[in-house]
């Protein structure tokens, strides 16, 4: 089994295509939608975790392309250098996916990598350069 993170870019007019339905039904893939920016008459963007057999993932991505939808694989990850973090919370204000949040029990920062969209906004927002990008 393999797991990838990918963004799908839908051209205007194509956001209604049931792509995720087909990825699940026809290619046996497990889909987790991390972020959706969909507007019926404009371009749309979906960020997905896709899990399945390597061949099924390849065929699923080929199907996506055949539907006229571009995809981009995430190759980078975000590293939280926890020991240097002062838990100021500044990064949580810019995180669009709630991957970064404050634990209300002790107001410490928590980082849920699974939800991360690798948008890098936290990297720019951290006053101590605690968040960085790894390739
Ligand atoms: S902005 Fe930087 S120092 Fe502040 S909580 Fe986030 S990672 Fe930690
Ligand atoms: S890169 Fe940072 S701001 Fe963007 S989703 Fe990931 S944790 Fe949140």
């Amino acid at each position: 089994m393999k797991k990838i993170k990918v963004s799908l870019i839908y051209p205007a007019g194509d956001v209604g295509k049931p792509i995720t339905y087909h990825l699940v039904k026809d290619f046996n893939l497990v889909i987790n939608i991390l972020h959706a920016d969909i507007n019926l008459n404009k371009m749309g963007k979906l960020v997905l975790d896709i899990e399945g057999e390597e061949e099924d993932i390849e065929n699923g991505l080929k199907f996506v392309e055949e539907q006229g939808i571009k995809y981009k694989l995430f190759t980078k990850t975000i590293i939280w250098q926890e020991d240097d973090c002062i838990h100021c919370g500044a990064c949580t204000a810019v995180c669009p996916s709630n991957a970064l949040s404050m634990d209300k029990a002790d107001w410490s920062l928590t980082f849920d990598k699974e939800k991360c969209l690798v948008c890098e906004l936290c990297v720019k927002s951290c006053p101590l350069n605690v968040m960085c990008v790894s390739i």
Side-chain angles (χ1 to χ4, degrees):
M1 292 286 269
K2 184 178 175 183
K3 190 171 181 183
I4 61 164
K5 190 173 286 191
V6 65
S7 60
L8 307 187
I9 314 295
Y10 290 69
D14 276 354
V15 294
K17 284 186 175 173
I19 298 296
T20 53
Y21 166 80
H22 285 291
L23 291 177
V24 173
K25 184 173 169 290
D26 303 338
F27 299 95
N28 301 315
L29 298 172
V30 178
I31 303 292
N32 184 20
I33 297 176
L34 300 170
H35 185 72
D37 185 5
I38 299 289
N39 184 315
L40 270 186
N41 298 315
K42 295 186 180 165
M43 277 179 65
K45 184 177 174 186
L46 272 186
V47 180
L48 310 170
D49 270 338
I50 300 179
E51 193 169 1
E53 298 298 334
E54 191 155 357
E55 192 181 349
D56 291 333
I57 293 177
E58 274 175 27
N59 290 335
L61 291 177
K62 210 180 288 175
F63 165 77
V64 167
E65 274 187 326
E66 285 165 4
Q67 299 305 305
I69 291 162
K70 291 199 172 86
Y71 69 85
K72 193 170 153 218
L73 294 171
F74 285 69
T75 52
K76 300 177 188 171
T77 55
I78 294 292
I79 307 286
W80 173 33
Q81 300 169 103
E82 190 170 354
D83 289 346
D84 297 328
C85 179
I86 57 169
H87 304 275
C88 67
C91 54
T92 64
V94 299
C95 180
S97 65
N98 287 327
L100 292 165
S101 62
M102 300 306 285
D103 183 338
K104 293 201 172 51
D106 60 1
W107 295 103
S108 62
L109 184 71
T110 63
F111 178 33
D112 183 347
K113 273 191 170 187
E114 293 293 313
K115 292 185 182 170
C116 179
L117 306 172
V118 200
C119 67
E120 302 182 26
L121 290 174
C122 55
V123 176
K124 292 169 197 139
S125 75
C126 178
L128 301 179
N129 298 321
V130 168
M131 307 301 288
C132 58
V133 185
S134 123
I135 298 173

